[in-house]
Amino acid sequence: MIFDTHAHYDDERFDEDRGEMLKSLKDKGVVTLVNVGASMRGAERSIELSHEYPFIFSAVGIHPDHAKELDEERFSHLEELAHDEKCVAIGEIGLDHYWDESPRDVQAYWFKRQLELAVKLDKPVIIHSRDACEETMEILKNHAAKPHTDTVLHCFSYSPEIAREYVKMGFYIGVGGVVTFKNGKKLQETVKETPLDRILLETDCPYLSPEPHRGERNNSSYIAYVAEKIAELKGITADEVLSVTENNARRFYGIPDRS
Ligand code: NI
């Protein structure tokens, strides 16, 4: 059974067949998914989707690319959304020094504010961090890495050494399609070294489709390919990967049962 811990079905690439696609997922073994908002509109859409489909839960947060759009009024609105009964996390939030769509100080400011919000509401956080390894670690260590807030480094792209440090801090490592790529060696090393009970499976769909569907639109059922690859790397079965990581995801988000 598949638990997709990070999907974006609010994305316009699903506009033409969203309903059919979501309905078809159940037949393909997808039991639960968390739709992650990245902008204010995305957060609102995530909540809407979670109310429309019992197996969908939501995360609300503003991605660093959109941090420049935040102000106090919008931040209050985000907090209201976070109180929704199906909102299970704050995310995705963090730093992106690859695209630099928002000024770096603005990214850091709203990253910290949203971490504080997660602590206040006692919700886990989903971190987006790209080309900002040290800066992210520093904020998580010194600012708001409270031990009672569960944290996942979504679409983990740093070294196995950094993963080890995060695992030591009690964090989770988010793994998706990249692990199946020919040029995914670094992530494959990380997966080999990281205990299975610290790994969360994710699609980040519509992005990052795994082999043999690389380049196509991704969807939650393709997590089967990610599980196969992890199984191969760890010398266990894909079923074991799916069941252990499903338990991880339920523990992380506090979603005990299949709905
Ligand atoms: Ni994402």
Side-chain angles (χ1 to χ4, degrees):
M1 294 297 173
I2 289 169
F3 188 132
D4 186 355
T5 65
H6 191 121
H8 301 285
Y9 285 102
D10 55 294
D11 192 279
E12 58 182 21
R13 287 177 70 185
F14 290 108
D15 280 355
E16 54 180 27
D17 63 346
R18 181 174 295 104
E20 276 163 66
M21 166 58 76
L22 289 171
K23 272 184 214 107
S24 75
L25 290 178
K26 281 241 148 159
D27 297 331
K28 295 173 184 156
V30 179
V31 284
T32 309
L33 69 87
V34 176
N35 200 83
V36 178
S39 61
M40 198 56 87
R41 183 74 194 120
E44 286 167 348
R45 287 287 293 132
S46 288
I47 302 269
E48 285 165 18
L49 284 170
S50 73
H51 285 246
E52 219 174 309
Y53 299 89
F55 76 109
I56 300 183
F57 292 79
S58 67
V60 304
I62 307 299
H63 187 286
D65 283 0
H66 296 283
K68 61 186 174 201
E69 293 156 24
L70 267 171
D71 55 26
E72 288 303 328
E73 197 183 317
R74 293 200 176 117
F75 186 71
S76 308
H77 181 44
L78 187 74
E79 179 165 356
E80 274 168 41
L81 294 174
H83 279 100
D84 186 90
E85 57 182 5
K86 289 198 81 183
C87 175
V88 291
I90 301 298
E92 53 187 292
I93 60 174
L95 303 174
D96 194 315
H97 293 180
Y98 179 81
W99 292 109
D100 277 328
E101 289 283 340
S102 302
R104 292 184 179 184
D105 58 330
V106 173
Q107 293 186 32
Y109 176 77
W110 289 111
F111 180 26
K112 291 174 193 169
R113 289 288 302 275
Q114 293 182 92
L115 282 171
E116 286 164 8
L117 178 63
V119 171
K120 179 177 160 191
L121 302 181
D122 196 22
K123 288 192 191 288
V125 288
I126 303 163
I127 307 293
H128 170 103
S129 177
R130 189 162 181 202
D131 282 5
C133 185
E134 278 172 37
E135 296 88 341
T136 304
M137 179 69 86
E138 191 181 310
I139 288 177
L140 288 172
K141 267 190 174 160
N142 301 325
H143 187 77
K146 302 283 190 314
H148 60 276
T149 304
D150 265 333
T151 307
V152 62
L153 273 295
H154 138 71
C155 193
F156 190 79
S157 58
Y158 300 131
S159 67
E161 291 72 30
I162 299 294
R164 212 177 300 145
E165 208 170 326
Y166 277 126
V167 166
K168 237 187 273 166
M169 289 161 70
F171 291 9
Y172 291 81
I173 304 298
V175 179
V178 175
V179 77
T180 68
F181 294 174
K182 271 207 182 72
N183 56 354
K185 291 271 180 293
K186 195 167 62 168
L187 182 60
Q188 290 162 9
E189 280 309 311
T190 298
V191 164
K192 270 191 213 166
E193 283 194 25
T194 304
L196 193 57
D197 67 358
R198 286 288 131 189
I199 291 176
L200 296 183
L201 302 190
E202 59 174 45
T203 53
D204 206 19
C205 68
Y207 311 104
L208 297 172
S209 202
E211 293 287 1
H213 294 286
R214 189 173 182 178
E216 297 168 23
R217 188 181 69 173
N218 199 0
N219 74 77
S220 304
S221 72
Y222 289 174
I223 276 191
Y225 299 107
V226 174
E228 268 169 38
K229 185 65 193 184
I230 294 177
E232 180 195 315
L233 291 166
K234 288 192 165 295
I236 54 178
T237 65
D239 279 346
E240 191 178 350
V241 172
L242 288 173
S243 91
V244 172
T245 55
E246 182 187 343
N247 284 335
N248 299 345
R250 293 192 184 285
R251 191 167 66 234
F252 181 82
Y253 286 123
I255 304 173
D257 301 309
R258 291 176 187 175
S259 27

